[in-house]
Amino acid sequence: MRVVVTGATGNAGTSVVRALASDPAVTYVLGVARRLPGLEIRGVHWAEADVDPGGADLAALFAGADAVVHLAWKFQPTHDPVETWRTNVLGSVRVFESCARAGVPALVYASSVGAYSPGPADGRPVDESWPTHGWPGAAYTREKAYLERYLDGYQLSHPGMRVVRMRPAFLFKATSASEQRRIFAGPLLPWRLIRPGFVPALPAVTGLRFQALHTDDAAQAYRAAVVRPVRGPFNLVADPVLDTAAVAGLLRARTVPLPAAAARAALAAAWRMHLAPAAPGLLDAVLRLPLLDAGRARDELGWVPARTSTEAVGAFLQGLRDGAGLDTPPLRGAASSGARGR
């Protein structure tokens, strides 16, 4: 198989291209990114191309591919939702339509837990049939939900194409820590102090529960979706469900109760002053996310995560205090001399 991966230099992309290159059924992997990386992965070739409207001829890039895995996504700037819409929605539509023009047999798209509507009041895990209308107050969830609707029509127009939608929980690994700090926390987070015993307390936001997954485990599910004849959506999560107390346990810190309204007000103030890059609407969305059941991925992909969600967050925290990263533009490490200077 020949597989093309967009967004191949980010958190998910670097793990997915590595997983695909290790599969004997895959003979050629092309990683596509806006900027070429210095990272070398055996069996992976790189191409520089932008998915944005007006960018490279994607159909020509996809020609001859047996599958395209679409991961490219822009989280910032949250103060300019038109720019993220241009890349995430219009760029994704361009990828989908380019796959059709190039005659690609299979499209594997990175959706998200963020595509789902608010979860049930009783907190039970939901399967892939739960509505995917997102949360309207956050750009990320609006964009993910819009693309779910677009793919509904797209699949009707292209019934011969195998379309897979992956809906993972939050993805973490050590080498994504520096990127995720920049995207969600900003430069003021004292990352070298995020270690056991150095953090006295964490705010326990009322109602905050989330699911996590190690990025390398998610990559194995993507690999299986490429090489197996499956279609449709797949939830991807690891156990257990996490809360602030679980993260505090990793840092040997205590928790301090914080009402959700107070947490939102503080985040909103920091965001308006450009001190925090994450918009308050994202917190609203996270507090409403459903818990996911990954039974379909286990049954049809033969997929079982090798690490717990606690181990995934632990790897992230280790990477955060080490300033870990990779030699790609999105994943540059905070500990590198260049990053320190910037």
Side-chain angles (χ1 to χ4, degrees), residues 68-337:
V68 169
V69 180
H70 179 46
L71 305 173
W73 196 265
K74 182 182 287 185
F75 289 93
Q76 298 292 345
T78 55
H79 288 272
D80 187 359
V82 173
E83 182 175 339
T84 59
W85 183 273
R86 175 180 170 84
T87 296
N88 299 337
V89 173
L90 302 185
S92 293
V93 168
R94 208 164 76 89
V95 169
F96 302 156
E97 297 302 337
S98 296
C99 286
R101 289 198 303 275
V104 177
L107 166 66
V108 180
Y109 161 64
S111 188
S112 166
V113 60
Y116 281 114
S117 302
D122 59 8
R124 71 183 186 279
V126 303
D127 64 15
E128 291 82 0
S129 65
W130 192 253
T132 51
H133 302 309
W135 174 251
Y140 176 79
T141 48
R142 285 196 305 270
E143 292 160 359
K144 290 294 187 184
Y146 183 94
L147 289 172
E148 290 276 353
R149 297 290 72 73
Y150 190 91
L151 284 174
D152 290 343
Y154 181 86
Q155 288 180 228
L156 293 175
S157 300
H158 306 285
M161 183 185 294
R162 185 170 65 85
V163 178
V164 182
R165 312 182 200 188
M166 308 299 269
R167 297 175 184 158
F170 299 110
L171 300 181
F172 298 107
K173 63 183 180 183
T175 51
S176 72
S178 294
E179 178 196 33
Q180 289 170 320
R181 177 187 62 82
R182 289 189 292 268
I183 289 174
F184 299 111
L188 300 183
L189 180 71
W191 51 271
R192 288 196 182 276
L193 301 182
I194 307 299
R195 59 183 66 245
F198 278 69
V199 180
L202 290 180
V205 179
T206 304
L208 178 61
R209 301 170 71 209
F210 66 97
Q211 291 169 296
L213 180 65
H214 196 285
T215 313
D216 290 346
D217 286 334
Q220 290 301 325
Y222 277 89
R223 179 196 58 77
V226 167
V227 301
R228 293 188 177 214
V230 296
R231 295 172 179 258
F234 290 92
N235 293 340
L236 303 177
V237 294
D239 293 325
V241 176
L242 300 174
D243 56 14
T244 307
V247 179
L250 293 170
L251 294 170
R252 299 204 300 271
R254 61 188 180 90
T255 59
V256 177
L258 180 64
R264 191 195 192 283
L267 178 59
W271 181 73
R272 285 194 297 270
M273 293 186 290
H274 293 262
L275 297 176
L282 189 59
L283 176 61
D284 296 334
V286 170
L287 289 171
R288 292 166 172 81
L289 291 178
L291 300 179
L292 303 184
D293 181 323
R296 184 175 187 231
R298 289 193 299 270
D299 295 341
E300 298 189 29
L301 296 178
W303 176 79
V304 177
R307 305 161 188 83
T308 66
S309 57
T310 308
E311 290 171 325
V313 173
F316 165 78
L317 292 174
Q318 180 66 53
L320 192 63
R321 56 183 172 263
D322 292 342
L326 290 173
D327 191 6
T328 75
L331 297 184
R332 71 177 190 275
S336 68
S337 58

Side-chain angles (χ1 to χ4, degrees), residues 43-55:
V44 177
H45 308 267
W46 302 105
E48 186 173 359
D50 199 333
V51 302
D52 281 12

